[in-house]
Amino acid sequence: MPEGKKTYYINISDGEIQSVSTASPWNFKIEANDEEITALREIFDQSHSTGWQNFMRAHVPYVQYHYDRENDALDRQLIQTYEMIYKLGDEEARNHIESMGILPEK
């Protein structure tokens, strides 16, 4: 493990970051330092906030889905999350994310 990095277990749907694998179900295992975990936590927090905005917007029937900025923001945040997990994740995480085809080609 690189110097200053710790192992974390990530649950995408709940936005959880755990340092213990048995604390709750997880999707991806990553190695990250404090700054990287803080950045990932900020993305999860933004996604949570945007999710509430989407909930409120869903009650406005005349705004069509494809003109929904909040939905676009949530999509961008999800891609940012997967990019970060791809960068920090173990080989299994990277392989799974590649198989999803969610990240833009580089």
Side-chain angles (χ1 to χ4, degrees), residues 35-48:
E35 289 177 4
E36 292 164 332
I37 284 299
T38 299
L40 183 58
R41 167 59 38 223
E42 287 174 359
I43 294 170
F44 280 145
D45 290 347
Q46 289 170 358
S47 295
H48 180 76

Side-chain angles (χ1 to χ4, degrees), residues 80-91:
Q80 284 180 321
T81 302
Y82 279 109
E83 285 175 335
M84 189 157 213
I85 291 172
Y86 185 86
K87 177 181 140 193
L88 302 173
D90 60 8
E91 186 173 344

Side-chain angles (χ1 to χ4, degrees), residues 28 82 86 91-103 105:
F28 299 103
Y82 279 109
Y86 185 86
E91 186 173 344
E92 184 178 348
R94 287 189 297 276
N95 289 340
H96 181 76
I97 292 169
E98 283 176 5
S99 75
M100 294 169 65
I102 191 170
L103 298 182
E105 296 293 323

Side-chain angles (χ1 to χ4, degrees), residues 13-47:
S13 62
D14 294 334
E16 288 184 348
I17 302 170
Q18 301 290 333
S19 58
V20 179
S21 66
T22 56
S24 66
W26 53 275
N27 310 109
F28 299 103
K29 178 180 173 182
I30 66 170
E31 304 289 330
N33 62 33
D34 291 342
E35 289 177 4
E36 292 164 332
I37 284 299
T38 299
L40 183 58
R41 167 59 38 223
E42 287 174 359
I43 294 170
F44 280 145
D45 290 347
Q46 289 170 358
S47 295

